[in-house]
Amino acid sequence: AQSVTQLGSHVSVSEGALVLLRCNYSSSVPPYLFWYVQYPNQGLQLLLKYTTGATLVKGINGFEAEFKKSETSFHLTKPSAHMSDAAEYFCAVMREGGSEKLVFGKGTKLTVNP
Amino acid sequence: EAGVTQSPTHLIKTRGQQATLRCSPISGHTSVYWYQQALGLGLQFLLWYDEGEERNRGNFPPRFSGRQFPNYSSELNVNALELEDSALYLCASSHRTGYQETQYFGPGTRLLVL
């Protein structure tokens, strides 16, 4: 069975600092990996996804993530945090091969301090 | 292009009542997914419909049911409401291509059971 672990339910950074949100997955087959962001009282917005090919994936709003198979990780980074990045971030895994359910991590709430 | 829409935005019910939540997918998408986001439980997969058929369901009791209409919109019905059904219910849609699918989420319906 697939699972996703997000280390740190809360992460706090200063404006302009590096953002690093950690995600590790377990899957018996090559996975599709996703990062979604949820702003207060809103639904989920896709930030980026990894399916095949280049392991460094660039997303919206300056975020990127690197798929590392040997570490079963898909950490999300942004070089310089903005106040508008404050939100909850969810890592999710889907099994390759078709329409399957997304399995989400518990989420990481990012706070950006001025 | 219009995104996934959900109605109502908020719903208040009492224990034992029934709730009906509605979702309209992005034009051209044939798959609809339902997820429950409850406090402390994270995002959990509920149901997946494609081409009018239920394709998969999560670990929820039978009182959670739904259907998909010929125009691919979907309804989620929750019978005999319990207090713990209070949650944000998110709908997502995707192409049923079987490859590199991405699920796009609506803003959600917040259900409160009193």
Side-chain angles (χ1 to χ4, degrees), chain B residues 10-63:
Chain B
H10 292 79
L11 191 56
I12 300 175
K13 295 285 185 179
T14 56
R15 284 180 60 190
Q17 286 189 312
Q18 178 194 37
T20 299
L21 289 63
R22 296 179 178 83
C23 172
S24 291
I26 292 171
S27 177
H29 286 188
T30 62
S31 277
V32 170
Y33 305 79
W34 288 95
Y35 292 84
Q36 182 197 65
Q37 187 177 24
L39 270 177
L41 296 177
L43 277 152
Q44 296 185 80
F45 168 74
L46 255 171
L47 288 160
W48 165 35
Y49 291 95
D50 181 69
E51 297 285 358
E53 300 284 333
E54 181 182 302
R55 303 293 184 182
N56 197 4
R57 68 179 291 130
N59 295 325
F60 283 85
R63 57 192 187 81

Side-chain angles (χ1 to χ4, degrees), chain A residues 24-88:
Chain A
N24 288 88
Y25 69 91
S26 68
S27 177
S28 58
V29 295
Y32 292 167
L33 295 159
F34 302 79
W35 275 99
Y36 285 88
V37 61
Q38 186 176 35
Y39 297 100
N41 300 313
Q42 294 187 27
L44 299 177
Q45 180 181 5
L46 179 69
L47 272 178
L48 49 81
K49 67 178 181 181
Y50 168 80
T51 52
T52 59
T55 57
L56 182 63
V57 181
K58 294 189 184 298
I60 62 171
N61 300 339
F63 284 94
E64 62 182 37
E66 187 171 9
F67 170 61
K68 292 186 176 180
K69 186 177 179 181
S70 61
E71 299 176 9
T72 61
S73 69
F74 191 56
H75 301 330
L76 181 71
T77 60
K78 181 174 179 177
S80 176
H82 295 161
M83 297 295 291
S84 59
D85 294 328
E88 190 154 19

